[in-house]
Amino acid sequence: MKITMSVIKADIGSVGGHIAPSEKLLETVRKHVQDKGRGMLIDSYVSSTGDDVAILMTHTGGVDNAPVHKLAWEAFLAGTAVAKAQGLYGAGQDLLKDAFSGNVHGMGPAVTEMEFEERPGEPFLFFAADKTDPGAYNLPLYLAFGDAMNTPGLMLSPKMAKGFKFVIMDVNHTEGDRIIELSAPEDLYDIATLLRDPERFVVESVWSRAAGTQAVSVATSRLHNIAGKYTGKDDPVMLVRSQMDFPATGEVLQPFAIGHFVAGCMRGSHNMPIMPVKLNSTISYFDGPPVVSCATFCIRDGRLTGPVDAFDHPFWDRVRDHVADKAMDMRRQGFFGAAMLPMNELEYTGIMEKLAVLEQKFAVRTMKRAA
């Protein structure tokens, strides 16, 4: 039997600014999914990361299933009603359209889905990031699925040694999904060439070349492309199947110990290190730092066992301390240089408006000629 896993995520309101949704909002979304999903869903899990609410659903309807997407959309509408009643900040922020139109693609919420035949043992990881964009997953995926220094399974497993196919999307192209398929290891330098620019090129999915099955699905939507203006960072979600034909769970998690620098934080305009956090963590420092949580599950006949919190371990406390130090060092640089995103990536218009005014005040100095 083919199982579909769907994750649909949105920021629909939070307490104290961009910190966390209220308990009543979360419970409203959870109850709506449970009540209205009977007969449609096999199982579900509702969680929050920072100010975002994510709905993980298992079913047999395939990807882009209209009833499943509508269920999530209406759950977010119910949560938004609570947010408005409680006076939460940014109520309904990610719901950018007025009416549901078949699926939630292009409507604001982030979506990632995968359909597959279950293996006898089927572990997977559900990542949710806040205060950053989909390119935040580029480096971890490159290391986990392409670098034997990170993933010894690429040497030790005969199936994994055949490599993986990366499907990479140009998220600046708004007229349609502009993608390229590249295979590791032979195209590894080309993959690196694209993934070094995480604001434009984003891993959409990764596939086993030996088994022909999907290992990774990433939500690649860019909110500013949908809304035409800044409405917040994209806060991407990701599903990763692990073990057997795919990297081990530890090989997938290892790259997050780097605390690599990503776009995000205050007003979505800075470069800051991403911090692996425990499930249902809040946002605090400088509207950040950018955070990522990881809920691990096993699945059988579509029913979830878990979650186990992958980042709730003493090792990750040490990583969090290191990331905090990196974040504070970068903040000491304020607005200068690499601390902020380049001009073309700033999603608030204030600086561009100032530059337009200043441009008119520039003058070309005339050099005096020597007598």
Side-chain angles (χ1 to χ4, degrees):
M1 179 175 67
K2 281 193 173 183
I3 294 296
T4 306
M5 290 193 298
S6 301
V7 178
I8 303 180
K9 180 241 47 145
D11 177 355
I12 53 173
S14 56
V15 179
H18 291 292
I19 295 180
S22 70
E23 287 298 324
K24 186 174 181 181
L25 186 159
L26 272 172
E27 185 53 38
T28 298
V29 172
R30 187 175 291 115
K31 188 174 187 307
H32 185 98
V33 172
Q34 291 174 346
D35 291 348
K36 303 298 183 182
R38 288 194 180 96
M40 182 192 315
L41 304 181
I42 302 173
D43 210 345
S44 63
Y45 168 70
V46 175
S47 63
S48 66
T49 301
D51 56 2
D52 297 311
V53 178
I55 309 170
L56 167 63
M57 299 166 283
T58 63
H59 54 96
T60 58
V63 300
D64 287 337
N65 181 276
V68 170
H69 281 226
K70 187 177 182 182
L71 171 67
W73 177 260
E74 291 179 344
F76 289 140
L77 288 178
T80 296
V82 172
K84 290 179 178 178
Q86 293 186 318
L88 302 190
Y89 184 73
Q93 176 177 295
D94 285 357
L95 307 185
L96 303 180
K97 306 294 182 181
D98 293 328
F100 182 78
S101 57
N103 63 58
V104 299
H105 291 288
M107 299 185 70
V111 185
T112 190
E113 299 182 285
M114 224 192 282
E115 184 180 36
F116 55 89
E117 294 278 357
E118 283 184 358
R119 299 170 292 175
E122 187 64 71
F124 73 92
L125 298 83
F126 162 40
F127 291 92
D130 189 25
K131 300 298 175 285
T132 189
D133 54 31
Y137 294 130
N138 280 8
L139 179 60
L141 291 175
Y142 175 87
L143 294 173
F145 288 87
D147 187 350
M149 292 287 283
N150 178 91
T151 303
L154 294 168
M155 298 183 297
L156 300 175
S157 165
K159 288 186 177 180
M160 285 178 59
K162 294 182 179 179
F164 293 88
K165 179 181 71 176
F166 287 70
V167 180
I168 300 171
M169 180 180 290
D170 178 356
V171 294
N172 282 1
H173 188 82
T174 57
E175 289 74 32
D177 291 347
R178 184 171 184 253
I179 63 167
I180 186 171
E181 297 183 0
L182 296 171
S183 295
E186 57 266 40
D187 297 330
L188 201 58
Y189 294 167
D190 293 336
I191 294 170
T193 298
L194 296 179
L195 298 190
R196 65 158 297 280
D197 183 358
E199 302 310 304
R200 179 174 179 184
F201 298 109
V202 173
V203 177
E204 179 194 59
S205 59
V206 180
W207 300 72
S208 165
R209 295 173 69 188
T213 52
Q214 188 171 2
V216 175
S217 179
V218 180
T220 57
S221 60
R222 301 299 307 273
L223 283 172
H224 64 74
N225 288 345
I226 299 170
K229 61 181 180 180
Y230 180 70
T231 60
K233 297 307 285 183
D234 310 297
D235 306 333
V237 285
M238 174 171 70
L239 292 169
V240 182
R241 298 167 71 197
S242 64
Q243 307 294 152
M244 297 169 67
D245 297 336
F246 311 128
T249 298
E251 292 169 330
V252 176
L253 294 172
Q254 152 65 23
F256 290 95
I258 297 170
H260 56 292
F261 286 95
V262 300
C265 254
M266 183 62 66
R267 305 185 189 279
S269 300
H270 298 261
N271 285 306
M272 290 283 273
I274 190 166
M275 179 181 284
V277 296
K278 298 178 184 180
L279 295 180
N280 302 308
S281 290
T282 63
I283 286 294
S284 181
Y285 177 67
F286 197 61
D287 263 5
V291 298
V292 60
S293 64
C294 181
T296 62
F297 295 86
C298 280
I299 184 171
R300 183 66 171 174
D301 297 327
R303 298 211 167 272
L304 301 170
T305 300
V308 171
D309 189 342
F311 293 138
D312 185 9
H313 183 279
F315 172 83
W316 296 102
D317 293 335
R318 177 71 177 270
V319 171
R320 284 187 274 271
D321 288 343
H322 178 56
V323 172
D325 288 339
K326 291 174 69 171
M328 288 186 287
D329 281 344
M330 186 61 99
R331 277 301 304 132
R332 291 187 184 102
Q333 194 164 314
F335 65 82
F336 186 75
M340 288 191 80
L341 296 179
M343 293 293 185
N344 64 324
E345 286 297 331
L346 293 178
E347 294 173 345
Y348 274 77
T349 60
I351 285 183
M352 304 312 293
E353 291 167 2
K354 286 182 175 67
L355 286 174
V357 173
L358 293 171
E359 185 68 27
Q360 304 305 313
K361 297 182 179 182
F362 274 89
V364 177
R365 179 182 294 156
T366 301
M367 299 294 292
K368 293 183 179 180
R369 294 186 178 183

